[in-house]
Amino acid sequence: MIGKASLTTRITLEPAFVLHRYDWSESSLIVEVLTRHHGRVALIAKGAKRPASNFRPVLLPMQPLRITYSGDAEVKALKSAEWVGGYAMPSGNALLTGFYLNELMMRLLPRDDPQEAVYQLYAQTVQVVAQASNLQAPALRAFELLLLHHMGWLPDLKVETQTQSDLQADRAYKLSVDAGLQRVGLQEPNAIAGSDWLQLTSLDFAALIGLLAKNAPLAQSLKSQLRALLNYHAGRPLQTPLMLTTMQQL
């Protein structure tokens, strides 16, 4: 007879990042993590709030971890977590940017749905945000664009969505939640030239950061359009950008 314990799924030394954590009991936490091979996973970290817990110094946002967990229920049991290293704990704007990335992952990714490309994109973005303050905004735009692509929500940027006609380099276009990429007047606020949209068809993260870092007006025009699409798929406005705007005004 096979013992019950032998039937329990165990995942060992899985690359992961902490997305969110909240109290479960006086001494334990529920931790939402993004894993490389298993998507977003909910874990119970027993005793994590105790002063002597090995979990306390490592279950932090934006830090690359390797975790071991087991269980077949919706919330699994965290057995161990170790810091992989690579960069110091971000602070200030970098940490707030990380909270925005985490909110996107929490709102847009269902649990237990493997998304290895999204994990890799997230890991690359966190590293840039943590280490290069001058590239935070371009990295965010590149992340948003590629996230929409990986989730299947980004229209073909080489053609006008409704007519399927090729973009014209000297015409202006905007990304609409309802109509996809559509032609607009050259003076339309946040309109982007067809030539720029065509450059954005690159799916290489580093190349997109380089392009957006050199073209700040393009990055700024892209920001509101990508955010509108992300808000639409999230079901309601994302809260972290609103908080960031309020803090900047203060």
Side-chain angles (χ1 to χ4, degrees), residues 108 153 177-178 226-238:
L108 298 177
W153 298 330
V177 170
D178 299 323
L226 296 179
R227 288 278 173 86
L229 200 52
L230 289 165
N231 282 333
Y232 173 79
H233 288 289
R236 63 182 188 277
L238 295 157

Side-chain angles (χ1 to χ4, degrees), residues 145-146 149-150 154 157 199-208:
L145 189 75
L146 291 175
H149 167 73
H150 289 313
L154 187 71
L157 300 183
Q199 290 189 77
L200 290 169
T201 58
S202 168
L203 299 180
D204 181 80
F205 180 67
L208 284 171

Side-chain angles (χ1 to χ4, degrees), residues 162-199:
Q162 292 186 333
T163 65
Q164 288 297 291
S165 57
D166 293 340
L167 296 194
Q168 299 178 47
D170 59 347
R171 300 292 184 180
Y173 302 85
K174 287 183 72 173
L175 187 60
S176 165
V177 170
D178 299 323
L181 201 59
Q182 58 182 349
R183 183 172 163 180
V184 296
L186 290 171
Q187 302 305 316
E188 180 82 13
N190 292 320
I192 296 175
S195 57
D196 286 332
W197 280 115
L198 291 171
Q199 290 189 77

Side-chain angles (χ1 to χ4, degrees), residues 19-234:
L19 298 177
H20 184 61
R21 43 185 273 179
Y22 50 92
D23 292 342
W24 173 249
S25 66
E26 290 186 4
S27 62
S28 301
L29 296 170
I30 296 293
V31 184
E32 296 270 2
V33 297
L34 178 65
T35 69
R36 179 186 290 276
H37 300 107
H38 303 278
R40 181 165 71 90
V41 178
L43 306 169
I44 181 168
K46 294 183 179 179
K49 294 164 64 177
R50 293 173 181 156
S53 172
N54 291 330
F55 290 139
R56 282 178 67 91
V58 295
L59 295 181
L60 301 172
M62 300 180 70
Q63 295 296 290
L65 307 175
R66 290 195 183 277
I67 63 172
T68 295
Y69 63 91
S70 65
D72 298 302
E74 182 177 3
V75 180
K76 297 151 180 71
L78 180 63
K79 299 300 184 182
S80 68
E82 59 184 59
W83 180 55
V84 175
Y87 49 83
M89 179 68 187
S91 60
N93 287 335
L95 185 58
L96 292 174
T97 299
F99 290 156
Y100 169 62
L101 297 175
N102 289 351
E103 183 182 8
L104 283 173
M105 297 294 92
M106 289 290 294
R107 295 278 292 276
L108 298 177
L109 296 183
R111 282 180 179 169
D112 303 312
D113 180 22
Q115 294 278 357
E116 189 167 355
V118 172
Y119 174 91
Q120 184 62 28
L121 173 63
Y122 176 92
Q124 290 177 302
T125 306
V126 164
Q127 186 170 8
V128 172
V129 167
Q131 296 181 311
S133 60
N134 61 316
L135 295 178
Q136 285 181 13
L140 273 185
R141 299 295 81 77
F143 175 84
E144 292 167 336
L145 189 75
L146 291 175
L147 175 63
L148 287 165
H149 167 73
H150 289 313
M151 299 300 289
W153 298 330
L154 187 71
D156 186 347
L157 300 183
K158 296 179 181 178
V159 300
E160 190 174 353
T161 302
Q162 292 186 333
T163 65
Q164 288 297 291
S165 57
D166 293 340
L167 296 194
Q168 299 178 47
D170 59 347
R171 300 292 184 180
Y173 302 85
K174 287 183 72 173
L175 187 60
S176 165
V177 170
D178 299 323
L181 201 59
Q182 58 182 349
R183 183 172 163 180
V184 296
L186 290 171
Q187 302 305 316
E188 180 82 13
N190 292 320
I192 296 175
S195 57
D196 286 332
W197 280 115
L198 291 171
Q199 290 189 77
L200 290 169
T201 58
S202 168
L203 299 180
D204 181 80
F205 180 67
L208 284 171
I209 290 180
L211 170 65
L212 294 167
K214 294 176 183 178
N215 193 337
L218 171 60
Q220 185 60 38
S221 296
L222 195 61
K223 178 178 178 179
S224 61
Q225 297 173 59
L226 296 179
R227 288 278 173 86
L229 200 52
L230 289 165
N231 282 333
Y232 173 79
H233 288 289

